[in-house]
Amino acid sequence: MSFSKETKSELCNAPIFTDEQKTAQVYGMVLFARNFSSNEISFSTESKSVACTFSQMLSSLTGTIVDTNVKLTRRGGEKNIYSLSVPDSDDCNKIFSLFGHSKNQPNLRINRANIDDDECIKYFLRGAFLVCGNVASPEKEYHLEFVVPHKRLSDDLQKIISEISELDISPKNVKRKGNYIVYIKGSENITDIITYMGGQMSSIEIIQNHIYKSVRNAVNRKTNFEAANLKKTALAAAQQIEAINIIKNKRGLEHLPDDLREIALIRLEFPEYNLREIGAALKEPISRSGVNHRIQRIINIAEEISDK
């Protein structure tokens, strides 16, 4: 089951405490259905939980019979598509009027009289998300969206979300394939709005995934940094050993001053040592910068020998 389906299943099972909250959720579901007018109410979903919730809640609130047809599709793997509709046009008109909409409206808009307090907005958004929302798996990206069929309706939804003081979210709006997409990015924003709608467990999963990604990225950065340092150390050691061998083969290490000869012998014996480890291995330990100074003198001597 996809993360979006899991989230919707959790929201379908989230409690509703008052008739006003129930009305607000049903309003969100019918208003953002694919078709909502005085003669047609219908939409399709891949979620059995959403199909059952829509049918049961609409019937309970209005006494309307809802037709449900199930079709198996192989698009993106085998899936059931649930197509729901109110078959009686008189019932459609009754529901349309119940929520304060009129045939004479030029554009479908949100009727705020149905969501006149902050608590009702939560349930209204929950209903809207169930029928037209999607949320990406947090393993892939942090993206939540509402796919809205009408421009003014998408503008209203965008405005309502941005006005919720508890969320502090500024959703974006874009047109895609004939629909208007109200979308939200960022793990914190998505966690906040899902929690707001009642999906606490889904929010926890997003948080856990975000923590896992953060730890994994930190480990990767540290590993890459250490690997780069090891490579740099290995290249430097190879250059130093080459310089020492030039001196050894052309003059002999006994011609080096005692302090340089001790460094050269340790470097040949322990090519994996870094400068700090070489300094600690000396009879009289010195600092990393001291070792670097002496090695540079060895390299200079090797260059002078090579130029002759």
Side-chain angles (χ1 to χ4, degrees):
M1 183 183 294
S2 70
F3 180 72
S4 193
K5 276 189 180 180
E6 290 176 356
T7 301
K8 288 184 179 183
S9 180
E10 180 183 7
L11 292 176
C12 285
N13 292 318
I16 296 178
F17 302 101
T18 68
D19 290 340
E20 289 77 12
Q21 293 167 359
K22 179 179 180 180
T23 300
Q25 181 164 324
V26 172
Y27 182 50
M29 296 183 81
V30 295
L31 182 62
F32 287 91
R34 168 55 56 182
N35 297 293
F36 178 56
S37 67
S38 61
N39 55 20
E40 182 179 6
I41 299 174
S42 64
F43 81 103
S44 297
T45 178
E46 294 178 1
S47 170
K48 183 178 180 180
S49 297
V50 171
C52 291
T53 298
F54 180 87
S55 179
Q56 292 169 2
M57 291 188 68
L58 186 59
S59 296
S60 173
L61 184 67
T62 66
T64 303
I65 296 174
V66 178
D67 273 355
T68 304
N69 293 312
V70 185
K71 179 182 178 182
L72 178 65
T73 177
R74 296 184 182 277
R75 182 186 61 193
E78 291 190 356
K79 298 176 182 176
N80 284 332
I81 302 296
Y82 300 87
S83 297
L84 297 100
S85 63
V86 176
D88 191 310
S89 60
D90 289 338
D91 285 341
C92 292
N93 186 49
K94 181 177 70 173
I95 295 168
F96 199 65
S97 299
L98 173 68
F99 291 112
H101 292 276
S102 167
K103 294 180 182 180
N104 299 322
Q105 284 180 304
N107 295 293
L108 193 61
R109 306 289 298 271
I110 294 176
N111 181 1
R112 295 226 180 190
N114 296 308
I115 46 172
D116 58 357
D117 63 51
D118 293 342
E119 279 300 306
C120 285
I121 290 176
K122 294 181 181 181
Y123 296 88
F124 171 74
L125 281 182
R126 182 194 295 177
F129 180 79
L130 289 176
V131 298
C132 76
N134 289 291
V135 58
S137 168
E139 295 178 1
K140 297 178 180 178
E141 61 175 329
Y142 301 113
H143 179 92
L144 182 146
E145 65 182 29
F146 298 81
V147 182
V148 186
H150 306 291
K151 176 68 169 65
R152 292 293 182 86
L153 196 56
S154 70
D155 291 340
D156 287 353
L157 178 62
Q158 182 182 18
K159 184 177 181 182
I160 279 183
I161 295 173
S162 65
E163 289 174 349
I164 300 171
S165 58
E166 293 179 49
L167 298 181
D168 192 23
I169 294 174
S170 298
K172 306 296 183 183
N173 197 334
V174 66
K175 188 175 182 180
R176 184 206 301 155
K177 296 180 180 180
N179 291 306
Y180 299 89
I181 313 300
V182 178
Y183 67 92
I184 297 166
K185 295 281 192 180
S187 63
E188 185 174 345
N189 288 337
I190 293 171
T191 298
D192 286 347
I193 193 168
I194 290 179
T195 301
Y196 179 79
M197 293 187 296
Q200 283 79 8
M201 296 307 297
S202 296
S203 296
I204 289 172
E205 186 172 344
I206 294 174
I207 293 170
Q208 289 175 334
N209 194 274
H210 182 70
I211 292 171
Y212 170 76
K213 281 184 179 179
S214 298
V215 172
R216 183 186 62 190
N217 290 338
V219 170
N220 287 340
R221 284 194 297 271
K222 183 178 180 181
T223 300
N224 291 337
F225 177 77
E226 290 176 348
N229 278 345
L230 287 173
K231 183 178 180 180
K232 183 179 178 182
T233 299
L235 289 173
Q239 181 189 20
Q240 295 158 15
I241 290 172
E242 181 182 4
I244 293 168
N245 283 329
I246 289 173
I247 299 171
K248 180 179 179 181
N249 294 331
K250 293 192 174 183
R251 285 191 180 176
L253 295 182
E254 64 274 10
H255 287 85
L256 287 173
D258 291 344
D259 58 342
L260 301 188
R261 184 169 63 255
E262 186 182 9
I263 291 275
L265 291 172
I266 291 174
R267 168 50 81 206
L268 291 176
E269 185 177 358
F270 303 103
E272 74 280 6
Y273 273 15
N274 59 35
L275 298 185
R276 187 171 284 104
E277 290 170 326
I278 291 174
L282 296 172
K283 291 180 182 178
E284 295 184 9
I286 60 174
S287 67
R288 178 183 180 282
S289 60
V291 174
N292 185 59
H293 176 71
R294 293 185 187 183
I295 284 181
Q296 190 58 50
R297 287 169 59 196
I298 292 173
I299 292 173
N300 291 339
I301 292 171
E303 289 175 348
E304 290 176 1
I305 294 173
S306 298
D307 291 339
K308 293 180 179 180

